[in-house]
Amino acid sequence: MTLHLPGANGTLRAYEPRSEPPPALSSGSAFSSRTVFSAAHVVADPYADTTPDGPAAVDWDATLAFRRHLWSHGLGVAEAMDTAQRGMGLDWAGAAELIRRSAAEAKACGGRIACGVGTDQLTTGTLAEVRAAYEEQLAVVEESGAQAILMASRALAAAAQGPDDYLDVYGHLLRQATEPVILHWLGPMFDPALEGYWGSKDLDAATDTFLEVIAAHPDKVDGIKVSLLDAQREIDLRRRLPHGVRCYTGDDFNYPELIAGDEQGFSHALLGIFDPLGPLAAEAVRVLDTGNTEGFRALLDPTVELSRHLFQTPTRYYKTGVVLLAWLAGHQSHFTMVGGLQSARSLPHLARAYELADGIGLFPDPKLAEERMRNLLSLYGVNQ
């Protein structure tokens, strides 16, 4: 049945949804050629009496069920990251609970998990306070049995006077880490408060400082996650990494080519877009495991238009589209987000996300997705 979807110009366009489900994608074990994490969203409790600036209310059963879904397809879970609304609805107390619960679930079902370590107990602070906040979170992650991802810190960006302060703070943390960590460079398109991270707005200078941190502690760095949405810069950076240090792409615009790689190397993956793409992304990586790069690209390239749409400026609101697709795909019973972030994207944006996802066969039950999209349109006053 035709859906009438609103466009950015204020008019409605006719769209014919898919009527048949896509071929089922099998679950499977871990991959052999790439290490792949999906950053995962949290499912809000829709019945909680909360406010946008109050503590997050999480539906733990649905949140953990979604992680089991990702693990069942062989993906690792990157927990308590930007995709889980860290600093955008989920505070440190909620993140700590999420880390403990997800790490226990990973242990119970044999899933791979890495968890974000930041400083979101603070809004501002001295360098000593920033170090202490990082240490507190690192202890929680290590005690849970998960791998640590040292995330970029708004408080450090505000307190640091230059590159030396980053070298000091990260050096201190890496010396303390029990196991090798993943370093995360999140660009200002994802969080404007991180402008000038690593001590300079000049990305070449910032890259040099980043590499200096790694070079001083290569045995404590499993890899780096780069989220700058600049494919060539990521390629140049990964070619300068010490032997044995992985590059995990966080580029939600250019991930197929970066994961496929070239004659000089490739990127592993730690991506927010693999939250909605989980089974399809896993199938693509299994094809790549056989050495079939063309088959990998044939599966993953058609997803890029959707990803670029979800992550369009202002990029930090991509989580709204991610949760919309989880609801439409049947992974949760509602389209409610912590912090009320379901309102962060316009109806035309959400309608286009639905259209693109349906077009590539992303929904296991297209009729359910159509019904839910129809209900959302009706809620906004778009009568069909």
Side-chain angles (χ1 to χ4, degrees):
M1 187 181 298
T2 301
L3 276 178
H4 294 92
L5 302 178
N9 60 1
T11 62
L12 296 177
R13 65 183 183 281
Y15 176 71
E16 295 294 331
R18 282 176 176 257
S19 58
E20 298 298 326
L25 297 174
S26 61
S27 57
S29 57
F31 316 115
S32 59
S33 65
R34 302 292 188 273
T35 301
V36 182
F37 290 95
S38 168
H41 74 281
V42 293
V43 183
D45 179 353
Y47 302 118
D49 186 9
T50 61
T51 59
D53 57 352
V58 176
D59 180 337
W60 294 113
D61 289 342
T63 293
L64 295 176
F66 188 76
R67 279 130 184 86
R68 291 193 297 272
H69 156 72
L70 294 173
W71 285 319
S72 75
H73 288 277
L75 296 160
V77 168
E79 188 57 277
M81 303 287 291
D82 183 59
T83 305
Q85 296 182 240
R86 286 290 290 271
M88 291 185 68
L90 187 71
D91 61 12
W92 166 235
E97 182 71 8
L98 178 63
I99 288 165
R100 293 185 181 102
R101 287 177 180 257
S102 291
E105 196 73 17
K107 188 178 299 183
C109 65
R112 181 165 186 171
I113 188 167
C115 299
V117 171
T119 65
D120 42 334
Q121 312 95 311
L122 305 174
T123 50
T124 60
T126 65
L127 289 174
E129 289 170 332
V130 168
R131 283 196 300 271
Y134 264 130
E135 289 171 342
E136 178 189 354
Q137 296 201 14
L138 180 61
V140 169
V141 170
E142 291 190 335
E143 287 166 5
S144 77
Q147 183 178 17
I149 303 171
L150 292 186
M151 301 193 300
S153 161
R154 293 174 181 173
L156 178 55
Q161 298 299 305
D164 287 346
D165 288 336
Y166 288 90
L167 293 170
D168 177 70
V169 170
Y170 277 90
H172 178 82
L173 294 169
L174 289 172
R175 285 190 294 272
Q176 288 196 3
T178 304
E179 300 291 340
V181 308
I182 298 171
L183 296 180
H184 185 191
W185 186 355
L186 189 69
M189 67 289 295
F190 288 91
D191 188 341
L194 300 176
E195 182 76 39
Y197 212 73
W198 305 109
S200 178
K201 293 182 180 180
D202 181 312
L203 289 179
D204 291 334
T207 297
D208 289 341
T209 302
F210 187 43
L211 288 168
E212 189 174 346
V213 170
I214 298 165
H217 308 276
D219 59 321
K220 289 296 187 74
V221 181
D222 164 74
I224 63 169
K225 170 175 156 49
V226 187
S227 299
L228 297 176
L229 304 184
D230 183 333
Q232 190 57 52
R233 182 168 292 279
E234 178 175 320
I235 292 168
D236 292 342
L237 176 55
R238 82 185 181 203
R239 289 175 179 171
R240 297 174 63 187
L241 291 174
H243 178 72
V245 176
R246 297 181 179 95
C247 179
Y248 293 94
T249 188
D251 188 332
D252 300 279
F253 284 4
N254 304 293
Y255 50 93
E257 65 188 81
L258 291 165
I259 298 169
D262 55 31
E263 67 282 354
Q264 297 186 52
F266 56 81
S267 294
H268 300 269
L270 198 167
L271 288 161
I273 191 56
F274 281 5
D275 179 303
L277 296 184
L280 179 57
E283 181 71 13
V285 176
R286 287 198 174 85
V287 170
L288 186 60
D289 283 347
T290 69
N292 184 355
T293 302
E294 289 185 2
F296 166 80
R297 294 294 298 268
L299 285 169
L300 217 51
D301 282 358
T303 69
V304 171
E305 186 179 5
L306 170 63
S307 188
R308 291 188 174 214
H309 176 73
L310 295 181
F311 285 78
Q312 69 182 220
T313 304
T315 303
R316 62 190 180 277
Y317 295 123
Y318 75 88
K319 297 94 162 172
T320 301
V322 165
V323 175
L324 171 79
L325 297 182
W327 172 55
L328 295 177
H331 293 298
Q332 56 193 79
S333 62
H334 58 86
F335 178 40
T336 304
M337 297 176 68
V338 298
L341 211 64
Q342 67 271 10
S343 66
R345 290 293 201 187
S346 69
L347 184 62
H349 178 93
L350 300 177
R352 181 60 176 158
Y354 162 74
E355 183 179 7
L356 290 170
D358 185 63
I360 60 174
L362 202 60
F363 302 125
D365 184 345
K367 292 187 182 299
L368 174 67
E370 177 190 344
E371 178 185 350
R372 288 184 169 185
M373 192 66 210
R374 193 179 299 276
N375 289 338
L376 181 65
L377 292 167
S378 176
L379 181 65
Y380 276 78
V382 181
N383 296 317
Q384 300 297 312

